[in-house]
């Protein structure tokens, strides 16, 4: 029996060896062919590789990605600049009544649900988006930082907790949104159930359903977007914290540095490039918030029976493409450019403000 | 302040439960105000010993005393030590000034005094004009000075240096070696210096400890250790070119080399490991005759290669005593410069 196992082992080793030999020989043959082709090309002065300048070679290598970007990114960008100047553009028959420079922008800016809420609504797309950005981004960045520091300092069950905190990242946004909507249900929702334990009267306490007060819906939305965006931030912070040389902490320990000062004076400055990166990308991401609102409040962004809408800027834009105002692409383009301008200005401000605080 | 280690032991256990004794029963006393070199090959436990003194590594067994106080269980920040890391561990986002003042920010020091102390320290280590720079704008030697200043600014009771010169080039290393010695003398602080470079340790230390596999081999003044090594390991570890070690028999009181009587020694007959340093040989017409196998003239000295009992042996003699193409030479060596080691234990056997 033992001999049989040994024979099998020997046989498997032989098979493994012959497979490796096979691939080795294949590589030799291919290299040989390559060398011959190279020689042949050199002999007849046909070697294009040496004739092309560096930038031309680079362009050839970049061309697949450039082609995709050109079709799906650059062309739409250029097109949206073109769309903005069309007056009364009609998508279905591709006609315009004329050209205008600022007409579409004025339409957007004076729209009752874009900046200033009209009398019959209590909110506008820009106000909603700004509230979400300026509340959820700072909270989620700080929270992610603290969780990452905490995760880094625990020793037992580290992998387990890391997995748990990373789960939202791999879960479908719509699914999580629906779970949240159920948690915040008026009757029998988990949150109301929880609150009633503390003697809060939850009778008719509506969060996301009909009759919910604006700030309550907004709270759920912000809570949701913080939670959903936490995973990626924690992961980025954790990996950068783990990349910090342990000796800095040993040196700090010997200098009797309190924990809080270690965090603010060593950890945060050393990962400041990552914090800045996360800050910029999450501000941009929060400005583009869309599916979280759809998941919680449906495509209109409006719980039934209320006088406000939780529409974000992107949702506002989208309604001109496939919604109540479908077809008016020029107005959508104008709104997109306004969003682009807001994000650009904010990013520039952040970059300027970070110059002194980010240590590369 | 006197520093005392008592039966200090550190055992590392890896995931498979395998145990490695990094430091094994180390007991040494470091007198107040001295500079002690911890010397040994890589992996001998010298850095572990240093980190245990610093409190960054917890000993498995044994005690550490600072003066009369048992600090074994004390956290690093309460021990009052200054530590210079191998790669300095300067905070890259802080200026030199902020790096040096950082330890004082955590202590109860008035601001003016702190600034004063930073300036004094910076001047002492010779970086007074670099206070506004970031560590990345400094050379290796300057970074090293900043690291020393940061360690010294809080007036520690003990200064620990973990291979501080290993990242510097040869010339700078020589210069910083003298600099560290000067700073230590000026401040009179008890200092422990870890290195794997025997020449560095011998030139800088008041006393030095040689470690091998976590065990103390010898603890004495560098020159004494060089001239009378306690065992084969120390003899082999110190000296450049290295000591010649060969096996030889002692028959009827005579050390037998190449089947000839070499010298009469007052130890029992038997087979021993014999050690002779190349530079201890002297050329002498009436000396022990050897066949020269190879000869290298290196200016003032000449290196001669020959064989003792089948082992290649080097001798470093004065160039005046050797002519080019010489085939044979007579050599003598002082009796007290012949080191005899027990074959089993490697311990030195005193003779004469």
């Amino acid at each position: 029996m033992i001999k049989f196992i040994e024979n099998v082992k020997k046989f498997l080793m032989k098979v493994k060896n012959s497979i490796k030999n096979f691939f080795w020989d294949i590589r030799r043959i291919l290299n040989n062919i390559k060398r011959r082709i190279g020689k042949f090309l050199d002999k007849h002065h046909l070697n294009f590789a040496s004739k092309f300048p560096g930038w031309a070679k680079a362009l050839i290598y970049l061309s697949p990605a450039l082609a995709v970007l050109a079709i799906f990114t650059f062309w739409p960008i250029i097109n949206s600049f073109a769309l903005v100047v069309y007056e009364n553009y009609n998508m279905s028959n591709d006609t315009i009544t004329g050209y205008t420079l600022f007409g579409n922008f004025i339409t957007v800016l004076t729209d009752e649900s874009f900046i200033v809420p009209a009398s019959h609504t209590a909110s506008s797309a820009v106000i909603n988006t700004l509230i979400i950005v300026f509340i959820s981004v700072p909270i989620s960045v700080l929270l992610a930082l603290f969780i990452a520091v905490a995760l880094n300092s625990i020793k037992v069950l580290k992998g387990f907790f890391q997995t748990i905190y990373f789960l939202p990242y791999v879960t479908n946004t719509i699914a999580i949104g629906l779970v949240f909507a159920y948690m915040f249900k008026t009757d029998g929702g988990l949150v109301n159930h929880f609150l009633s334990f503390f003697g809060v009267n939850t009778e008719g306490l509506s969060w996301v359903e009909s009759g919910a007060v604006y700030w309550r819906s907004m709270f759920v939305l912000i809570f949701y977007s913080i939670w959903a965006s936490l995973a990626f931030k924690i992961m980025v912070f954790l990996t950068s914290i783990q990349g910090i040389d342990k000796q800095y902490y040993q040196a700090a320990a010997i200098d009797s540095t309190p924990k809080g000062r270690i965090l603010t004076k060593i950890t945060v400055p050393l990962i400041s490039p990552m914090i800045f990166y996360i800050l910029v990308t999450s501000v941009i991401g929060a400005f583009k918030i869309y599916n979280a609102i759809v998941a919680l409040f449906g495509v209109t962004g409006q719980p039934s029976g209320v006088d406000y809408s939780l529409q974000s800027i992107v949702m506002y834009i989208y309604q001109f493409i496939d919604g109540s105002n479908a077809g008016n692409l020029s107005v959508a383009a104008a709104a997109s450019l306004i969003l682009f301008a807001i994000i650009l200005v904010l990013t520039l401000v952040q970059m300027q403000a970070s110059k002194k605080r980010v240590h590369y | 302040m006197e520093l005392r280690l008592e039966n200090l032991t550190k055992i590392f256990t890896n995931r498979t439960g395998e145990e490695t004794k990094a430091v094994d029963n180390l007991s040494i006393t470091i007198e107040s105000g001295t500079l002690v070199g911890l010397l040994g090959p890589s992996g001998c436990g010298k850095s572990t010993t240093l980190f245990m003194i610093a409190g960054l590594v917890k000993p498995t067994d044994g005690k550490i005393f600072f003066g009369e106080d048992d600090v074994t269980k004390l956290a690093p920040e309460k021990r009052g030590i200054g530590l210079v890391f191998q790669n300095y561990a300067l905070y890259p986002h802080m200026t030199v000034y902020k790096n040096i003042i950082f330890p004082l920010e955590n202590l109860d020091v008035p601001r003016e005094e702190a600034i004063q102390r930073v300036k004094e320290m910076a001047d002492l280590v010779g970086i007074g004009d670099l206070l506004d720079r970031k560590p990345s704008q400094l050379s290796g030697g300057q970074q090293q000075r900043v690291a020393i200043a940061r360690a010294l600014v809080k007036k520690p009771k003990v200064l620990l240096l973990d291979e501080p010169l290993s990242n510097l080039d040869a010339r700078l290393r020589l210069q910083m070696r003298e600099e560290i010695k000067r700073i230590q003398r000026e401040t009179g602080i008890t200092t422990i210096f870890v290195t794997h470079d025997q020449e560095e340790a011998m030139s800088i230390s008041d006393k030095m400890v040689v470690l091998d596999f976590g065990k103390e081999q010898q603890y004495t003044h560098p020159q004494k250790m060089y001239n009378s090594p306690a065992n084969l390991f120390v003899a082999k570890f110190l000296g450049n070119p290295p000591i010649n070690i060969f096996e030889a028999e002692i028959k009827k009181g005579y050390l037998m080399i190449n089947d000839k009587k070499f010298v009469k020694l007052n130890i029992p007959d038997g087979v021993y490991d014999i050690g002779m340093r190349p530079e201890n040989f002297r050329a002498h017409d009436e000396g022990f005759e050897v066949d020269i196998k190879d000869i290298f003239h290196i200016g003032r000295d000449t290196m001669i290669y020959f064989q003792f009992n089948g082992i290649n042996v080097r001798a470093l003699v004065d160039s005046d005593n050797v002519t080019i193409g010489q085939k044979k030479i007579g050599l003598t060596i002082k009796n007290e410069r012949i080191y005899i080691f027990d074959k089993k234990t490697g311990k030195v056997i005193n003779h004469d």
Side-chain angles (χ1 to χ4, degrees):
Chain A
M1 189 63 193
I2 293 165
K3 210 175 174 196
F4 172 73
I5 292 171
E6 253 175 31
N7 279 338
V8 168
K9 265 187 189 168
K10 256 184 204 164
F11 176 72
L12 286 177
M13 278 298 287
K14 257 187 196 167
V15 170
K16 191 181 148 195
N17 240 333
S18 50
I19 291 173
K20 283 197 169 174
N21 280 343
F22 172 74
F23 280 110
W24 185 280
D25 289 337
I26 291 276
R27 194 166 62 232
R28 274 179 63 197
I29 292 163
L30 285 179
N31 282 341
N32 208 349
I33 293 170
K34 254 192 239 165
R35 268 197 296 276
R36 280 190 190 174
I37 292 173
K39 250 184 206 165
F40 177 82
L41 289 177
D42 282 347
K43 210 172 169 185
H44 296 86
H45 304 285
L46 288 168
N47 201 340
F48 292 113
S50 56
K51 281 183 187 164
F52 270 111
W55 61 265
K57 265 191 265 181
L59 206 64
I60 290 168
Y61 290 129
L62 289 171
S63 55
L66 278 181
V68 173
L69 281 173
I71 294 165
F72 294 107
T73 307
F74 301 148
W75 174 241
I77 289 174
I78 295 165
N79 218 8
S80 66
F81 276 98
L83 274 173
V84 159
V85 295
Y86 295 165
E87 202 177 67
N88 294 330
Y89 175 71
N90 191 328
M91 195 163 64
S92 50
N93 51 19
D94 205 15
T95 56
I96 51 172
T97 58
Y99 294 97
T100 170
L101 206 51
F102 299 112
N104 288 313
F105 287 109
I106 290 164
T107 312
V108 172
L109 293 174
T110 55
D111 191 322
E112 56 186 32
S113 57
F114 190 71
I115 291 185
V116 189
S119 51
H120 66 279
T121 69
S123 68
S124 72
V126 170
I127 291 175
N128 288 335
T129 310
L130 288 179
I131 289 174
I132 293 164
V133 169
F134 285 104
I135 294 179
S136 78
V137 170
I139 292 177
S140 69
V141 168
L142 283 178
L143 208 59
L145 191 62
F146 281 111
I147 292 172
V149 170
L151 276 178
N152 189 49
S153 53
I154 58 167
K155 289 190 177 78
V156 282
L157 292 176
K158 197 175 191 170
F160 175 72
F161 282 115
Q162 281 177 15
T163 314
I164 287 210
Y165 279 99
F166 193 60
L167 272 181
Y169 190 67
V170 292
T171 316
N172 188 312
T173 327
I174 301 290
I176 299 173
L178 289 174
V179 171
F180 262 73
Y182 266 96
M183 277 169 64
F184 285 98
K185 255 171 95 83
T186 316
D187 297 320
L190 201 64
V191 175
N192 274 357
H193 208 72
F194 179 74
L195 284 177
S196 61
F197 270 123
F198 297 95
V200 181
N201 180 21
T202 57
E203 187 66 41
L205 186 64
S206 185
W207 293 91
V208 291
E209 288 165 357
S210 62
V213 192
Y214 177 74
W215 66 262
R216 261 191 239 141
S217 319
M218 188 47 102
F219 169 80
V220 175
L221 180 57
I222 287 171
F223 188 76
Y224 169 82
S225 59
I226 289 172
W227 188 74
S229 66
L230 219 47
F232 180 69
K233 288 174 189 148
I234 292 171
M235 186 186 67
V236 171
F237 287 153
L238 192 61
T239 38
S240 41
I241 287 172
Q242 280 166 348
I244 297 175
D245 195 336
K246 296 277 170 293
Q247 291 210 326
Y248 294 128
Y249 293 108
Q250 293 182 333
I254 279 169
D255 294 338
S256 53
T257 319
K259 288 241 155 57
R261 273 178 65 82
I262 290 181
L263 179 67
T264 55
K265 292 273 173 174
I266 297 171
T267 306
V268 170
L270 285 177
I271 63 165
S272 55
M274 269 304 151
I275 296 177
F276 177 62
Y277 160 75
I278 284 290
L279 203 64
V280 170
T281 51
S282 17
V283 165
I284 294 172
F287 263 110
K288 299 199 292 190
I289 188 166
Y290 175 74
N291 45 9
I293 302 170
V294 173
L296 284 172
F297 305 103
V299 280
T300 55
Q302 200 167 12
S304 59
V306 296
D307 64 341
Y308 61 89
S309 160
L310 285 171
Q311 203 179 37
S312 70
I313 298 180
V314 174
M315 282 175 84
Y316 176 86
I317 294 166
Y318 197 69
Q319 67 171 337
F320 294 106
I321 301 164
D322 185 21
S324 48
N325 291 314
N328 209 342
L329 283 189
S330 296
V331 183
S336 316
L337 287 181
I338 291 168
L339 175 62
F340 167 70
I342 297 172
I343 292 175
L344 184 70
V345 167
L346 261 177
T347 306
L348 288 177
V349 168
Q350 287 182 77
M351 286 176 88
Q352 207 58 37
S354 71
K355 264 186 186 159
K356 276 207 166 164
R357 288 183 182 80
V358 176
H359 310 275
Y360 290 101
Chain B
M1 168 146 71
E2 190 184 83
L3 199 145
R4 201 162 79 248
L5 309 179
E6 271 181 16
N7 306 323
L8 202 63
T9 303
K10 177 69 195 178
I11 298 170
F12 288 111
T13 316
N14 68 4
R15 279 184 191 168
T16 55
E18 211 178 314
E19 288 189 344
T20 318
K21 263 194 181 174
V23 178
D24 191 355
N25 232 342
L26 188 66
S27 297
I28 51 174
T29 303
I30 291 158
E31 287 109 35
S32 184
T34 55
L35 198 162
V36 169
L38 269 180
L39 180 66
S42 53
C44 76
K46 50 195 191 302
S47 285
T48 310
T49 308
L50 196 79
F51 284 150
M52 280 197 283
I53 296 169
L56 295 171
V57 173
K58 281 199 178 71
T60 313
D61 204 10
K63 283 198 165 86
I64 302 163
F65 289 93
F66 283 9
E68 291 305 308
D69 310 326
D70 182 355
V71 299
T72 317
K73 297 239 156 56
L74 222 55
E77 63 266 24
K78 289 179 186 145
R79 296 192 182 192
I81 44 160
L83 177 56
V84 176
F85 288 90
Q86 186 168 1
N87 52 9
Y88 319 135
L90 296 176
Y91 306 121
H93 53 282
M94 297 183 194
T95 59
V96 168
Y97 169 80
K98 280 194 177 158
N99 260 294
I100 300 176
I101 208 166
F102 190 77
L104 295 178
E105 286 177 21
N106 307 315
L107 300 175
D108 184 24
V109 180
R111 190 160 175 273
E112 275 104 58
E113 194 198 324
I115 294 169
Q116 186 60 30
R117 262 157 81 171
V118 169
K119 286 204 175 121
E120 269 171 31
M121 246 337 122
D123 288 337
L124 177 73
V125 300
I127 47 152
D129 49 344
L130 303 172
L131 286 175
D132 294 330
R133 302 237 194 130
K134 289 263 179 79
S136 56
Q137 296 166 311
L138 301 179
S139 70
Q142 287 166 339
Q143 287 182 27
Q144 219 254 348
R145 287 160 197 258
V146 177
I148 293 177
R150 187 177 68 178
L152 284 176
V153 76
K154 56 180 179 177
K155 297 191 176 144
K157 297 179 230 166
V158 180
L159 177 66
L160 307 170
L161 302 149
D162 181 20
E163 305 216 21
L165 306 179
S166 58
N167 288 348
L168 305 177
D169 64 64
R171 184 180 287 269
L172 200 57
R173 202 178 296 178
L174 220 65
Q175 190 195 336
M176 284 311 294
R177 202 194 276 174
E178 288 157 14
E179 200 78 334
I180 289 173
K181 186 81 197 157
R182 173 183 70 80
I183 293 165
Q184 195 267 336
R185 285 229 177 94
E186 274 177 36
T187 54
I189 184 171
T190 312
T191 305
I192 302 178
F193 183 99
V194 162
T195 177
H196 60 262
D197 183 340
Q198 43 113 359
E199 202 186 315
E200 194 173 289
M202 288 183 67
S203 63
I204 201 170
S205 317
D206 294 322
K207 269 174 118 179
M208 63 184 195
V209 189
V210 172
L211 292 176
D212 186 33
F213 289 109
K215 278 202 170 90
E216 180 206 328
Q217 304 296 320
Q218 199 170 0
Y219 175 41
T220 183
H221 299 278
Q223 200 55 37
K224 206 175 163 201
M225 195 182 288
Y226 186 78
N227 285 335
S228 47
N231 58 35
L232 190 57
F233 178 82
V234 176
K236 273 183 179 169
F237 197 74
L238 298 183
N240 189 25
I243 193 167
N244 302 302
I245 301 286
F246 53 92
E247 202 174 83
E249 200 183 350
I250 293 190
K251 236 190 236 168
K252 293 170 190 160
Y254 282 98
L255 177 62
M256 303 300 288
I257 291 175
N258 299 347
D259 293 327
K260 286 187 283 187
K261 287 176 183 169
F262 185 80
V263 72
K264 190 170 166 54
L265 289 171
N266 187 21
I267 50 169
D269 288 5
V271 180
Y272 297 94
D273 277 327
I274 312 294
M276 294 178 186
R277 292 207 183 274
E279 69 271 23
N280 287 338
F281 286 103
R282 296 282 176 273
H284 198 278
D285 293 341
E286 282 154 30
F288 187 81
E289 201 175 57
V290 293
D291 295 323
I292 297 172
K293 297 200 84 173
D294 220 334
I295 195 161
F296 293 99
H297 300 277
I298 34 177
R300 184 167 56 90
D301 299 318
T302 297
M303 186 79 89
I304 304 168
Y305 287 78
F306 48 92
Q307 284 200 323
F308 274 177
N309 294 349
I311 304 284
N312 284 320
V313 171
R314 277 180 280 214
L316 201 60
V317 297
D318 209 319
S319 290
D320 294 343
N321 302 328
V322 196
T323 54
I324 295 164
Q326 195 171 342
K327 290 278 179 247
K328 282 179 188 293
I329 190 167
L331 291 174
T332 61
I333 186 165
K334 279 186 192 164
N335 258 10
E336 72 256 30
R337 291 286 179 260
I338 301 174
Y339 308 110
I340 305 195
F341 305 100
D342 190 288
K343 269 213 84 73
K344 269 199 201 112
T345 62
K347 286 220 169 75
V348 80
I349 294 166
N350 291 322
H351 54 87
D352 73 40

